[in-house]
């Protein structure tokens, strides 16, 4: 199974595909599925700003569209265009809620500060998650 540094490398590759002409902030994500497959995502902005999709959600949308439902970890990297990454890019609130639809509190979120992995869990980033579906 891929390790955290390799997952970050995948997210860095995904970041190169970012469509972010409005914010000039490029984000990459790499989602590790329980079958070992890694699905990449990037942020895709729109002239109607509310139509923008974050990198994490685009990775999840691709994976879910392929029939995947079980996920182990996601790596997320982000920085302004042209900048060297030197701080973590934590997932936005909408992405935290989105991930909680498919992932439990132990789901690993691998961030990157430019030097190495910074590890979080979904439970740490979104305690007391709102769910309609009970304990499934
Ligand atoms: N962005 C992400 O892709 N993921 C996040 O969790 C935070 C924000 C993107 C959205 C937008 O294209 C740009 O970063 C600036 O907000």
């Amino acid at each position: 199974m891929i390790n955290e540094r390799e997952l970050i490398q995948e997210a860095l590759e995904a970041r190169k595909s970012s469509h972010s002409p409005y914010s000039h902030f490029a984000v990459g994500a790499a989602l590790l599925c329980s079958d070992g497959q890694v699905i990449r995502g990037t942020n895709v902005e729109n002239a109607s700003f509310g139509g923008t999709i974050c990198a994490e959600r685009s990775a999840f949308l691709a994976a879910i569209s392929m029939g995947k439902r079980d996920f182990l970890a996601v790596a997320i990297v982000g920085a302004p265009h042209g900048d060297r990454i030197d701080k973590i890019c934590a997932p936005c609130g909408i992405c935290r809620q989105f991930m909680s639809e498919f992932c439990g509190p132990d789901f690993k979120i691998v961030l990157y500060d430019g030097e190495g992995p910074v590890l979080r869990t979904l439970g740490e980033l979104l305690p007391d998650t709102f769910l309609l579906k009970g304990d499934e």
Side-chain angles (χ1 to χ4, degrees):
M1 192 68 79
I2 191 170
N3 67 32
E4 284 138 8
R5 283 176 190 274
E6 291 165 331
L7 200 61
I8 288 168
Q9 282 305 318
E10 291 278 341
L12 289 167
E13 279 303 310
R15 181 173 176 267
K16 294 177 183 170
S17 301
S18 172
H19 175 72
S20 39
Y22 306 108
S23 73
H24 307 287
F25 192 91
V27 185
L31 177 60
L32 176 61
C33 305
S34 58
D35 62 5
Q37 204 172 342
V38 174
I39 309 294
R40 295 177 182 176
T42 193
N43 56 329
V44 182
E45 299 187 345
N46 191 272
S48 177
F49 297 163
T52 292
I53 301 179
C54 292
E56 310 84 306
R57 268 180 293 146
S58 60
F60 271 87
L61 291 172
I64 290 159
S65 301
M66 295 167 71
K68 315 272 187 206
R69 287 294 184 275
D70 294 313
F71 306 108
L72 298 175
V74 68
I76 307 164
V77 302
H81 292 182
D83 280 16
R84 191 186 163 279
I85 294 176
D86 63 358
K87 50 177 90 65
I88 61 169
C89 173
C92 77
I94 297 171
C95 286
R96 294 178 197 200
Q97 179 64 29
F98 186 98
M99 292 190 283
S100 76
E101 183 76 16
F102 298 96
C103 306
D106 295 334
F107 179 68
K108 286 189 201 167
I109 298 180
V110 180
L111 306 175
Y112 179 57
D113 63 6
E115 295 198 348
V118 175
L119 303 181
R120 301 284 186 262
T121 65
L122 187 56
E124 285 172 337
L125 296 187
L126 190 69
D128 299 326
T129 308
F130 174 73
L131 290 172
L132 285 179
K133 60 181 181 181
D135 292 329
E136 316 170 31

